[in-house]
């Protein structure tokens, strides 16, 4: 028995399923998750002393690697001055200004503590601003675990084969319309027949595996939203500060009304944000009537971890992330094709799909050979590479990957692919 196995058994007695977020379980790949003892740079060390090159990176945040010295120092120095006041601080002002400077959509921003909160509040704000109740979301896009968006939500919900979740009132779910990714006609049809407050989507979905947007999708979406008086909310919790300093909105020149940020923006601490056009943000309490609040919002530790991360995100980091992404793609593609699989990559996000052509929407991801993915995942773990334990997730690269770490990653995944007979459809 390993220590991770013992811990999992004990965890299951006290925590449902033994995990504090379902995606951490290895149910979909028929295994048990290693319990992580520590991490440094690109490497995780588990409770049994095994080391893995990390391609989850806390599901995105640790873009500068684990225990980044500048971030750790900022957290330690801040902690000594008190960890939470429930009152305004100078750090929040500096951080909000930096976010508005970095992201093209942001005139104003409000901080909160998780991506779930950010999208929940952005949707309420859009409803309050437009005076409309209905929203449109995209099949397979994940926006956190609150009622309005836990409908065809990809990621963990898809991994555990639930169409949504019990406990969500039908009346709430009924206000959420859905459309396939990359399909403008479906959006146009909803907008023509319903009073829609907002369309919310991930610009590059990472929660059904990494999916490429088709040419013209975003300009079409913003034109449709404008025509029908709906707001366009781009959920950049995953893509913000990952695909560019200004996120997917900068990378694809998206004309959005509101964006949500999380993951990278908090430097590995619980921090998220939503923001956008001044006219819309001014509706938030106490400036306007739409209520939103949080005891730990703008928490000093999280703000300083975020600032310490942002200060290091120079143009050179994004150049390096592109180089690393291209090297990983070039290194894996021959083995991916030999195994009858396909691969998508946008910057430093990628997914190997057990399907011969890259999926363009959720229903195509669902056609993947999930059992083959599970075998691949186990083989990769044995080769010392820690991939997300579901076909419905993207892998994330850190900017600190060295040449020898890149070789370990590519050789490990190639060996795992080669151990899989080409059975994918
Ligand atoms: C992770 C994620 C969320 C939820 O963020 P939490 O901090 O886990 O609540 C929302 N939207 C997207 C696109 C995400 O990737």
């Amino acid at each position: 028995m390993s220590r991770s196995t013992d811990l999992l058994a004990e965890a299951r007695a006290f925590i449902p399923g033994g995990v504090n977020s379902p995606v951490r379980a290895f149910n979909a790949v028929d295994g048990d998750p290693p319990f992580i003892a520590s991490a440094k740079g690109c490497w995780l060390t588990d409770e049994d002393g095994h080391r893995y090159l990390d391609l989850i990176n806390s599901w995105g945040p640790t873009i500068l690697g684990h225990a980044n010295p500048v971030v750790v120092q900022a957290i330690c120095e801040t902690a000594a001055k008190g960890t939470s006041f429930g009152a305004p601080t100078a750090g929040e002002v500096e951080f909000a200004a930096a976010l508005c400077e970095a992201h093209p959509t942001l005139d104003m921003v409000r901080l909160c503590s998780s991506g779930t909160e950010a999208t929940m509040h952005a949707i309420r704000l859009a409803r309050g601003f437009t005076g409309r109740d209905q929203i449109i979301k995209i099949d397979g896009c994940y926006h956190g675990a609150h009622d309005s968006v836990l409908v065809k939500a990809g990621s963990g919900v898809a991994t555990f084969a639930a169409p949504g979740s019990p406990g969500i009132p039908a009346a709430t779910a009924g206000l959420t319309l859905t459309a396939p990714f990359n399909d403008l006609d479906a959006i146009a049809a909803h907008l023509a027949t319903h009073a829609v407050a907002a369309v919310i989507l991930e610009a590059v979905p990472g929660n059904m595996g990494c999916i490429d947007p088709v040419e013209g999708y975003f300009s079409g979406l913003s034109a449709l939203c404008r025509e029908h008086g709906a707001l366009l909310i781009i959920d950049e919790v995953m893509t913000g500060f990952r695909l560019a300093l200004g996120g997917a909105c900068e990378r694809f020149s998206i004309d959005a009304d509101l964006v949500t940020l999380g993951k990278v923006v908090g430097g590995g601490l619980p921090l998220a944000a939503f923001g956008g056009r001044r006219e819309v943000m001014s509706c938030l309490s106490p400036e306007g009537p739409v209520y939103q609040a949080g005891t730990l919002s703008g928490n000093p530790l999280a703000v300083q971890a975020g600032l310490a991360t942002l200060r290091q995100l120079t143009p050179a980091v994004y150049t390096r992330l592109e180089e690393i992404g291209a090297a990983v793609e070039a290194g894996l593609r021959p083995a991916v094709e030999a195994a009858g699989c396909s691969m998508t990559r946008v910057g430093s996000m990628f997914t190997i799909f057990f399907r011969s052509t890259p999926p363009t929407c959720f229903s195509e991801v669902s056609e993947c050979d999930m059992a083959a993915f599970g075998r691949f995942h186990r083989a990769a773990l044995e080769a010392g590479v820690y991939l997300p334990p579901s076909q419905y997730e993207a892998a994330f690269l850190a900017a600190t990957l060295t040449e020898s770490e890149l070789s370990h990653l590519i050789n490990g995944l190639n060996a795992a692919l080669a151990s899989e007979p080409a059975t994918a459809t």
Side-chain angles (χ1 to χ4, degrees):
M1 286 286 264
S2 72
R3 180 147 166 79
S4 282
T5 315
D6 291 344
L7 280 168
L8 185 62
E10 192 182 351
R12 283 188 172 133
F14 300 109
I15 305 169
V19 289
N20 277 312
S21 196
V23 296
R24 297 175 197 173
F26 274 29
N27 301 24
V29 292
D30 199 17
D32 289 341
F35 277 61
I36 305 305
S38 66
K40 179 75 190 149
C42 298
W43 295 91
L44 298 173
T45 305
D46 73 13
E47 290 283 353
D48 296 291
H50 304 127
R51 294 177 81 231
Y52 311 97
L53 191 130
D54 186 11
L55 291 181
I56 299 184
N57 277 299
S58 183
W59 303 90
T62 52
I63 197 168
L64 297 167
H66 293 281
N68 175 271
V70 180
V71 176
V72 171
Q73 190 187 349
I75 294 171
C76 293
E77 283 174 4
T78 308
K81 295 187 233 167
T83 55
S84 180
F85 314 121
T89 60
E92 291 163 273
V93 188
E94 186 185 352
F95 192 51
L99 295 182
C100 293
E101 168 96 3
H103 198 289
T105 307
L106 297 178
D107 297 331
M108 297 180 99
V109 69
R110 169 73 51 93
L111 302 181
C112 51
S113 301
S114 71
T116 294
E117 282 178 69
T119 65
M120 184 173 78
H121 295 140
I123 289 169
R124 181 181 309 136
L125 178 58
R127 286 173 163 156
F129 179 79
T130 58
R132 301 173 175 182
D133 288 344
Q134 283 182 305
I135 61 165
I136 300 175
K137 80 172 285 292
I138 304 299
D139 296 356
C141 281
Y142 178 68
H143 305 295
H146 60 93
D147 289 0
S148 293
V149 290
L150 219 50
V151 176
K152 298 193 179 179
S155 193
V157 199
T159 304
F160 296 96
S165 170
I168 296 176
T172 304
L175 295 174
T176 303
L177 307 163
T178 62
F181 190 64
N182 279 329
D183 182 346
L184 285 173
D185 292 341
I187 302 276
H190 283 323
L191 287 170
T193 49
H194 297 82
V196 172
V199 178
I200 183 168
L201 73 157
E202 299 175 75
V204 177
N207 288 292
M208 47 174 143
C210 177
I211 307 286
D212 265 312
V214 294
E215 190 77 35
Y217 187 49
F218 302 122
S219 54
L221 276 176
S222 34
L224 280 169
C225 285
R226 234 189 329 265
E227 184 189 333
H228 293 278
L231 300 187
L232 180 60
I233 306 174
I234 301 293
D235 180 357
E236 295 238 43
V237 169
M238 191 176 272
T239 52
F241 295 98
R242 175 159 290 280
L243 296 185
L245 198 59
C249 287
E250 175 189 321
R251 193 173 175 120
F252 298 102
S253 302
I254 305 172
D255 186 5
D257 297 292
L258 291 173
V259 296
T260 51
L261 295 166
K263 299 196 168 117
V264 174
V265 80
L269 264 68
L271 188 148
F274 63 104
R277 280 169 44 205
R278 185 172 306 276
E279 183 196 6
V280 183
M281 290 302 287
S282 300
C283 293
L284 267 190
S285 183
E287 197 166 329
V290 178
Y291 197 71
Q292 182 276 335
T295 300
L296 291 176
S297 292
N299 172 264
L301 281 189
V303 162
Q304 291 306 326
L307 273 170
T309 301
L310 260 52
R311 282 193 203 107
Q312 296 179 77
L313 292 176
T314 59
V317 169
Y318 292 99
T319 308
R320 178 66 186 150
L321 282 168
E322 290 299 324
E323 277 170 15
I324 290 171
V328 167
E329 184 176 352
L332 295 180
R333 200 165 276 289
V336 165
E337 284 169 8
C341 298
S342 57
M343 179 176 179
T344 54
R345 178 182 71 86
V346 180
S348 57
M349 295 165 58
F350 75 92
T351 301
I352 294 167
F353 287 104
F354 281 74
R355 182 179 191 281
S356 59
T357 54
T360 60
C361 64
F362 182 77
S363 64
E364 291 181 3
V365 179
S366 306
E367 293 165 8
C368 289
D369 182 342
M370 303 301 174
F373 176 85
R375 292 190 294 272
F376 165 63
H377 184 273
R378 279 196 299 285
L381 204 63
E382 264 158 46
V385 181
Y386 187 75
L387 281 170
S390 165
Q391 178 72 93
Y392 295 104
E393 304 285 359
F396 299 101
L397 299 164
T400 51
L401 278 165
T402 62
E403 295 306 317
S404 73
E405 288 166 344
L406 273 172
S407 301
H408 175 90
L409 186 175
I410 291 167
N411 294 339
L413 292 188
N414 281 343
L417 282 164
S419 68
E420 179 57 37
T423 54
T425 50

